[in-house]
Every structure is written in structure tokens, then in C-alpha cells.
Amino acid sequence: MAINPKKHEMPVQSAEERARNFGEVALGYTPEIAVAEAQRCLNCKNRPCVDGCPVNINIPDFISRVKTGDFEGAYDTISLSSSLPAVCGRVCPQETQCESKCTLGIKFEPVGIGRIERFVADWHNANFKGEIALPESNGHRVAVVGSGPSGLTCAGDLAKKGYKVTVFEALHTAGGVLVYGIPEFRLPKDIVSKEVETLKKYGVEIKTNVVIGKTLTVDELFEDGFEAVFVGSGAGLPRFMSIKGESLKGVYSANEFLTRANLMKAYKKDSQTPVMHAENVAVVGGGNVAMDAARTALRLGAKNVYIVYRRSMTELPARREEVEHAEEEGVKFEILRNPVEILGYNNPENPRDQKNGFVRGIKLIKCGLGEPDERGRRKPVEIEGSEYELDVECVIMSIGTSPNPLIKSTTAGLDVNGRGGIIVEESTGATSKQGVFAGGDAVTGAATVILAMGAGKTAAKAIDEYLLKN
Ligand SMILES: Cc1cc2nc3c(=O)[nH]c(=O)nc-3n(C[C@H](O)[C@H](O)[C@H](O)COP(=O)(O)OP(=O)(O)OC[C@H]3O[C@@H](n4cnc5c(N)ncnc54)[C@H](O)[C@@H]3O)c2cc1C
């Protein structure tokens, strides 16, 4: 049978329709499309896709099960390595991981591994009726700080081994960036809550509204009887550019803007949380977070949304699919531009003018590209005298985040690096403080869901070995 050179298209909401609603953009494969896409897999002997997956899912095995219609068997295979397949099938950068290694990809488009993974997870969630087998308790207690993908994975793996795990989460809902950052139109929140509910069935206790470092310290967790602590507190501290005008009303960090829109549902009429519904919005940055903020601003009713990025489209770090979706929806790209100042209203004749103190625009300078930096990316070089102004009422800064220093500053003996990341032993996640392990963005700085999950898995294994030894 001749191989289809292209991946089966993902059914999506039309760009016009979706740009004004928060429903999921990608609608998922049907069983027929999933089987047809699985049939493109060559089932090659050396299985390079498995090495491309940070948690080494047995991809050829789950795909061969999909070929025969054994969707639950495929789910079981994925579950051996990944605890969040419905999430990863939606947000993993497969194009730079498993799919980039696919043998079929040498000649044609690679197998749509992520799309098949998503199908399998959704099929399981819709159809699985069996009971989960609960492990026998081993009597040991472990505390997990943070309920993002690293914390949830670590908690799940330990609970399945019989540990009594308590997750402490600062926010009122569990899920980390999966609930407060990544928007509903890319990752519906009921998928995350289903994963959290499954963990609870395994006996994991989740305590929300507890800020470790304020409500309780790590040392107090040990005093309370926990024998090990996993810190998966993420990298939620936003960075700003230190340019004039950043304290004007109408300037948000992407994290604040997205938290208001996603977690607090500020787009709903009955939401208690306000968010600016501006007509003209500039988003500074070019990563996935910037694309999410820009597309959220559109859905909140903006007429013009600009991505301001200082390099060219080639260097844009966001996933290609997200950039294409943003372009289709009408996001405009101010490429090779750097912000110099955020401009505010200031009416000297009327100090009571209601607009005073609000954003009225952003001043940008044009850039060219110079020599490559240490990471091989060509450096932006500002072109003198090329400044111009863009009329916007809202500016969203999306230029990166760092780990919050709270846990470090309240935990004696916990070493961090110059960027605030907790220093760990790579193979175990063990920190400089005995019994404390860490992983995910809290260690690496802002990274990916699958890497955070992988770190949670590594630490769970190491905590198990540590507690059995002690
Ligand atoms: C908008 C956005 C879009 C993204 N898109 C993608 C994508 O498409 N694909 C991808 O792979 N990755 C994406 N990422 C990155 C990815 O989401 C993160 O790398 C991942 O969530 C990190 O997981 P984590 O468990 O380390 O931390 P987080 O998900 O950040 O979770 C940490 C949790 O710890 C809690 N916490 C922090 N401090 C404390 C404390 N002191 N006490 C108690 N709890 C605390 C926080 O409230 C949070 O819930 C995106 C990130 C953002 C912000």
C-alpha cells in the first residue's frame, strides 16, 4: 500500500470562528483518522522516535496497537512512561522531539505521533469504565510543593507505590501552568481536572491555598512528619525590561494577564476578576507564552494585536503550529522591533482626566540582525533613529520568567544557581538539603511540560530509593 506522504490533517475550528471564542481550536482525530495515521508508521527496527521522547514512551508499540484498534492497550503502553498523555498530546513540541526523529520524516512528513497520542488519551477518558487498582500503603509520608506537571507526576508515581502523598499548592486550583497559563482553547481545563481527580483516587491529598515559605516552611513539613519533600514550584516570577512606562495602567505580565483570563475566567460575564478588554494590544516576546497572550487578547475582543519581537520570524521560539494559528486568527507580527518606552496619557491641563496614568502607545525601534550569540541565534542590532510609535492601550510583557525566590529564602541549606534555579543532582533530583528533591521549571527555569514530568518521575524513583534506604 502506498504511504500517504502527508500527516492526516487535524480537524480544527475555522480561524474566523475560533478567534472569538475560547473553545478548543484543534478538535482531535476520529478513530478512523487515528487508525489511518497509525498505518503510516513504518515500525522501523531502531525506533529513533523513542529516543526523541524525553520520557521514552514506547511509541512504536502504542502506534501498532492503534493500527489494530486496541486503543485501551495503546493507552496502557503510554501510561507506563507518561502520566499526562491527554496534556502532552496537546502541548508537547513533538516537531522538535519524537517526530523530528521519525524515519518516515526523512522522505515525507513524519507520523503525527502527538495527534495519535491525544486521540488515545481522549478515547480512554471517554470510554474507560474499569476500576483502578489501589496499592497497599507503605506508611511513608511525602510532601510535594506545587501541583504543576512535575509535582503531579511525582505525586502520582509515589502514590502508586503506596506512599501517602500530600500536595501543597499556593493557588486555589491544582494544575500549575496547565490551569493558570495555557489557555482553554489549547488545553481544556476539564482534562487537567480529570488527571487531578485520578490522583485523588490513588489517595493523593491536595491542599490548595497553602504557600510553602509563608503558610508553612519546608522545615515545618519535616517537623509535621513528612520524610521527604519534592519541590516543583515552577518559574512563575515574570521578568520586565526596565524601560520607562512599565508601571502604567494597562501594562501586564503575560502570567498575570493569562491567570486573569484562564484561571479566574475573566472573559465570562459573571467573573469577579477584571481584565482589560483593549482594542489595540502589543505583546512583547516571541515564545509560546506570547502567542497564548496574543490569541487570548483577540478572544477578549481586541481589533489589533501585535507581537513585538526583536529577531526575525526564523528565530521566533514559539511552536510553528501556534504561530500559524495566531497568524490565521489575525495576530500581526511587528518583527525585528524592540520596545524603547511605553507611552502614557498625561494631560497637564486636566490632572483629573480619567485617562491619565493609562497606556496610550508603545515606542519601538527597528532592528537588524548581527553576529550569532553563544546559542547560535543572530543578535538583534538596533537601527539608530528608526524609532516610531504604535497606538495601543494595553502592553503585555512576555519576555520570560524565573523561579520565585520564596522557597530558597525560607529554607536553610537549599542551594540555587545564579538564575534562581534550585541546584539538583541530575540523575535523582536530590538538592543540597537532605530529604529535599526538586524538579521542573523550579530547577531549569521556564521549559516544557514533558521535561517537568520527566523530572517528577526521576525524583519519585529517587525518593522511593532514599526512603527505603533510611
Ligand atoms: C502560557 C504558557 C504556555 C506554555 N505552553 C507550553 C506548551 O505549549 N508546551 C509545553 O511543553 N510547555 C509550555 N509551557 C511551559 C510549561 O507549562 C512549564 O514548563 C511546566 O508547566 C512546568 O511545570 P512545573 O511543574 O515545573 O511548574 P508549574 O506548572 O509552574 O507549577 C508550579 C506550581 O507550584 C505552585 N507554587 C509555586 N510556589 C509555591 C509555593 N511556595 N507553595 C506552594 N505552591 C507553589 C504554583 O502555583 C504552580 O501551581 C507554557 C508555559 C506558559 C506559562
Side-chain angles (χ1 to χ4, degrees):
M1 198 170 64
I3 291 180
N4 187 345
K6 292 203 162 258
K7 274 184 203 174
H8 287 78
E9 290 281 331
M10 170 63 91
V12 290
Q13 277 196 71
S14 78
E16 225 170 82
E17 194 186 332
R18 72 183 191 235
R20 300 291 167 204
N21 71 52
F22 276 82
E24 195 172 9
V25 170
L27 303 172
Y29 277 172
T30 61
E32 293 73 29
I33 307 179
V35 171
E37 184 59 26
Q39 279 163 350
R40 294 181 68 237
C41 175
L42 302 172
N43 208 2
C44 49
K45 262 199 201 133
N46 51 352
R47 312 178 329 147
C49 53
V50 179
D51 296 331
C53 170
V55 294
N56 301 119
I57 294 175
N58 190 339
I59 294 166
D61 183 78
F62 95 73
I63 289 190
S64 63
R65 287 171 193 270
V66 173
K67 278 185 198 172
T68 63
D70 178 13
F71 305 141
E72 196 54 41
Y75 182 83
D76 290 342
T77 299
I78 301 174
S79 299
L80 293 175
S81 317
S82 164
S83 43
L84 303 169
V87 174
C88 293
R90 284 170 167 80
V91 305
C92 259
Q94 292 100 4
E95 64 280 9
T96 57
Q97 297 177 346
C98 52
E99 292 181 17
S100 74
K101 308 272 172 155
C102 173
T103 308
L104 188 66
I106 298 170
K107 230 173 143 186
F108 301 130
E109 278 190 11
V111 176
I113 300 168
R115 294 175 183 180
I116 305 176
E117 180 187 24
R118 170 191 160 140
F119 163 78
V120 168
D122 288 356
W123 193 92
H124 168 87
N125 284 340
N127 295 290
F128 180 71
K129 300 276 182 292
E131 289 293 311
I132 54 176
L134 292 182
E136 210 173 296
S137 167
N138 65 15
H140 291 291
R141 291 177 69 208
V142 179
V144 169
V145 182
S147 64
S150 66
L152 292 181
T153 303
C154 184
D157 279 17
L158 287 170
K160 286 172 196 166
K161 288 181 195 288
Y163 287 87
K164 175 85 192 95
V165 184
T166 306
V167 177
F168 295 94
E169 167 55 50
L171 297 174
H172 66 274
T173 307
V177 169
L178 307 180
V179 293
Y180 81 73
I182 304 181
E184 181 80 21
F185 57 81
R186 279 215 294 133
L187 179 62
K189 300 310 153 218
D190 57 0
I191 288 172
V192 185
S193 50
K194 211 161 194 163
E195 303 288 1
V196 173
E197 285 313 308
T198 306
L199 284 192
K200 287 186 186 163
K201 285 189 193 150
Y202 278 107
V204 173
E205 186 183 8
I206 299 194
K207 292 195 170 173
T208 51
N209 298 314
V210 181
V211 183
I212 299 301
K214 275 205 169 138
T215 326
L216 280 170
T217 63
V218 168
D219 289 315
E220 283 167 343
L221 292 175
F222 284 110
E223 284 162 25
D224 283 353
F226 290 102
E227 297 154 88
V229 177
F230 173 76
V231 180
S233 49
L237 190 69
R239 284 193 209 127
F240 285 88
M241 290 184 74
S242 302
I243 55 172
K244 198 172 162 205
E246 279 184 318
S247 55
L248 287 165
K249 289 175 220 159
V251 180
Y252 291 88
S253 70
N255 264 20
E256 180 188 347
F257 181 75
L258 288 168
T259 303
R260 284 173 182 267
N262 293 324
L263 186 64
M264 310 310 293
K265 307 268 181 268
Y267 61 89
K268 290 191 172 170
K269 284 208 175 76
D270 58 353
S271 172
Q272 304 277 309
T273 302
V275 73
M276 199 172 200
H277 293 244
E279 282 205 357
N280 304 292
V281 179
V283 179
V284 180
N288 285 320
V289 183
M291 297 306 137
D292 283 344
R295 297 171 73 197
T296 299
L298 265 188
R299 284 159 173 78
L300 288 173
K303 291 210 174 90
N304 296 300
V305 179
Y306 307 94
I307 288 280
V308 175
Y309 180 60
R310 60 197 185 136
R311 291 188 170 89
S312 77
M313 285 304 262
T314 318
E315 287 84 21
L316 209 69
R319 290 184 70 194
R320 217 28 51 197
E321 185 180 283
E322 304 309 327
V323 177
E324 282 167 15
H325 280 165
E327 279 183 312
E328 285 165 11
E329 290 166 13
V331 172
K332 298 167 183 144
F333 287 76
E334 289 285 312
I335 289 303
L336 288 165
R337 305 285 187 266
N338 214 10
V340 186
E341 183 182 345
I342 301 171
L343 309 160
Y345 280 102
N346 179 17
N347 182 352
E349 280 157 29
N350 181 6
R352 293 188 164 192
D353 188 333
Q354 300 241 326
K355 285 184 172 173
N356 282 347
F358 278 86
V359 172
R360 69 166 177 82
I362 184 165
K363 190 190 276 183
L364 305 177
I365 186 163
K366 295 183 184 173
C367 299
L369 286 180
E371 292 302 310
D373 61 16
E374 57 290 347
R375 290 163 63 193
R377 291 192 310 168
R378 291 180 66 193
K379 276 191 199 149
V381 182
E382 294 183 351
I383 302 169
E384 214 178 302
S386 66
E387 291 93 339
Y388 67 104
E389 291 178 15
L390 203 61
D391 292 339
V392 292
E393 307 88 56
C394 176
V395 174
I396 302 170
M397 301 305 269
S398 180
I399 56 166
T401 53
S402 321
N404 192 307
L406 179 65
I407 291 182
K408 148 77 188 155
S409 65
T410 53
T411 312
L414 189 68
D415 291 344
V416 301
N417 61 30
R419 294 180 306 280
I422 301 172
I423 298 171
V424 297
E425 213 180 84
E426 210 180 306
S427 59
T428 59
T431 69
S432 53
K433 188 173 173 78
Q434 197 177 355
V436 179
F437 297 74
D441 285 5
V443 168
T444 57
T448 62
V449 171
I450 191 89
L451 287 174
M453 261 180 51
K457 270 198 154 330
T458 301
K461 187 164 170 277
I463 290 171
D464 183 39
E465 283 162 11
Y466 168 77
L467 289 180
L468 292 185
K469 233 176 26 201
N470 287 291

